[in-house]
Amino acid sequence: MSKFWSPLVNDLVPYVPGEQPKVANLIKLNTNESPFGPSPKVIAAVQAELNDTLRLYPDPEGESLRKTIAAYHGITPGQVFLGNGSDEVLAHIFYGLFQHGEPVLFPDVTYSFYPVYCGLYGIESRQIPLTDSFEIDPAEYTGPNGGVIFPNPNAPTGRYLELEHIETILHANPDRVVVVDEAYIDFGGTSAITLVDRYPNLLVTQTLSKSRALAGLRVGFAVGHPDLIEALNRVKNSFNSYPLDRLALAGAKAAYEDEAWFQQCCQTVIAERERVTQALEQQGFEVLPSRANFVLARHPDKSGQHLATGLREKGIIVRHFNKPRISEYLRITIGTTSQNDALIDGLAAL
Ligand SMILES: Cc1ncc(COP(=O)(O)O)c(C=O)c1O
């Protein structure tokens, strides 16, 4: 609190990112990063960009990368909007595409940045309870609202919603933008990008932070009808015209040019996710069925806080949310085989 703060800043409740530890040798399973490095082609592309051209601003429209993403998904570059991580894309969506006078709908257990954006922009929200099995019930996303947003798979539950149910939500809200946040879609789901040509109210966001192992480069994007993309460009160009620097544009483009590396990383994470799930279930854990690169799990006899603290003492960090409905759970990012083995052994010892 300071006399120099605006009332808005005084009232903000900012997002709290997962810990980025300052000590070495921890097994880091807390922020859903990839356990593998990016493709060697990405490293080479970023290194090739380290030259005299850094004195010049990057392409404000990121045209070359938008073309690459469009070709990959079978859409047009005019349907793609780029941002500095999908968090920035989401921020522009909340500001520019949700109707601020009516409540934006999202699940009660979901990505905790959504309520933060509502607070920042003074947007009302209504949290729709997930079912007892932590699933999104599409029938609940009706009635007057300022827009709808949910991750698919949801975070931190990992639960996946089939496209037909997403279509139910789109049909129920023809005059509102429905945002599907697909940060984790590459770990076993079907992207709603296949629906954008049929639904002018659908916006899909994705990130290169998870399945393409580029959390440190900060690249995300939205796909939707060109009218929605234009709204996002209007916001972007009223805020920061150059959200992606030259290194990010080059590295992200190269990430789409190494499909073999991408597939290998995703398939390994999926196989390890199933192995970790089985091993935890054998220890008595309840593990929610996940299509993401993490699992949400609880033990009937041990509190989430106890397990998170115990793992930390063993040098393993996972995410524990002290929040309604999930305070007994741990969200565990899938790591390498040896990291996962350490996690399984650590939990067994606890
Ligand atoms: C559901 C969801 N959406 C969006 C993001 C933001 O990803 P980024 O800003 O790294 O693209 C995350 C990050 O953890 C997430 O979990």
Side-chain angles (χ1 to χ4, degrees):
M1 175 71 178
S2 150
K3 68 177 179 179
F4 299 113
W5 289 12
S6 72
L8 174 75
V9 165
N10 199 36
D11 291 345
L12 284 181
V13 184
Y15 176 73
V16 183
E19 180 188 354
Q20 294 295 338
K22 306 287 181 286
V23 289
N25 300 328
L26 285 179
I27 296 182
K28 192 173 174 313
L29 305 177
N30 67 330
T31 48
N32 299 341
E33 290 138 330
S34 171
F36 314 111
S39 155
K41 291 185 182 164
V42 171
I43 309 291
V46 170
Q47 279 169 344
E49 203 60 27
L50 287 172
N51 57 48
D52 173 64
T53 55
L54 282 180
R55 71 196 168 77
L56 300 173
Y57 285 106
D59 174 7
E61 316 303 339
E63 197 180 327
S64 178
L65 176 58
R66 283 193 302 119
K67 276 188 181 157
T68 299
I69 292 173
Y72 188 84
H73 287 291
I75 49 169
T76 64
Q79 291 173 294
V80 183
F81 173 81
L82 301 174
N84 191 271
S86 56
D87 280 340
E88 187 186 70
V89 177
L90 293 169
H92 291 342
I93 292 168
F94 273 76
Y95 188 73
L97 286 170
F98 287 154
Q99 301 303 319
H100 292 194
E102 293 173 279
V104 169
L105 310 184
F106 47 80
D108 61 339
V109 180
T110 196
Y111 187 35
S112 42
F113 228 133
Y114 302 158
V116 173
Y117 294 131
C118 288
L120 177 62
Y121 297 127
I123 303 174
E124 280 179 60
S125 63
R126 187 150 63 84
Q127 304 196 3
I128 311 286
L130 297 174
T131 66
D132 290 345
S133 50
F134 289 100
E135 285 173 285
I136 289 174
D137 179 356
E140 296 291 319
Y141 290 79
T142 55
N145 66 70
V148 175
I149 183 165
F150 53 89
N152 194 36
N154 195 5
T157 65
R159 298 224 58 169
Y160 175 68
L161 189 66
E162 297 289 347
L163 289 190
E164 61 183 280
H165 298 308
I166 292 179
E167 289 195 72
T168 303
I169 297 174
L170 287 161
H171 280 294
N173 296 280
D175 298 326
R176 289 292 179 266
V177 175
V178 175
V179 181
V180 184
D181 173 351
E182 292 190 338
Y184 303 102
I185 196 67
D186 295 324
F187 302 106
T190 303
S191 174
I193 289 179
T194 52
L195 302 177
V196 288
D197 284 338
R198 284 167 41 213
Y199 294 94
N201 59 333
L202 169 62
L203 199 62
V204 181
T205 60
Q206 290 197 0
T207 177
L208 280 76
S209 298
K210 315 292 181 180
S211 56
R212 294 181 193 272
L214 288 174
L217 210 61
R218 311 304 300 129
V219 184
F221 62 93
V223 173
H225 190 282
D227 288 352
L228 303 185
I229 301 305
E230 188 184 339
L232 296 176
N233 275 314
R234 288 171 71 99
V235 176
K236 179 204 92 156
N237 288 319
S238 306
F239 177 73
N240 173 13
S241 297
Y242 307 103
L244 294 192
D245 60 46
R246 287 176 169 273
L247 307 186
L249 288 169
K253 189 170 156 62
Y256 281 91
E257 289 163 356
D258 195 347
E259 182 67 12
W261 183 274
F262 167 70
Q263 290 296 345
Q264 169 74 32
C265 293
C266 291
Q267 292 313 317
T268 307
V269 167
I270 290 168
E272 281 293 303
R273 178 184 71 209
E274 300 317 307
R275 187 175 76 85
V276 169
T277 300
Q278 276 181 16
L280 296 193
E281 283 175 348
Q282 275 165 15
Q283 291 184 22
F285 278 88
E286 178 206 336
V287 186
L288 296 189
S290 171
R291 296 270 192 104
N293 66 342
F294 57 84
V295 293
L296 193 69
R298 76 169 163 188
H299 196 278
D301 307 327
K302 303 282 177 188
S303 78
Q305 183 65 65
H306 166 81
L307 291 173
T309 308
L311 283 176
R312 171 95 210 191
E313 282 161 9
K314 295 176 186 299
I316 303 170
I317 44 176
V318 298
R319 195 90 196 257
H320 173 248
F321 297 94
N322 209 356
K323 289 188 173 171
R325 295 188 72 181
I326 53 168
S327 60
E328 291 310 319
Y329 286 82
L330 300 178
R331 193 199 65 191
I332 304 165
T333 304
I334 301 301
T336 60
T337 301
S338 64
Q339 289 176 326
N340 298 333
D341 284 343
L343 171 92
I344 292 164
D345 292 348
L347 284 173
L350 289 169

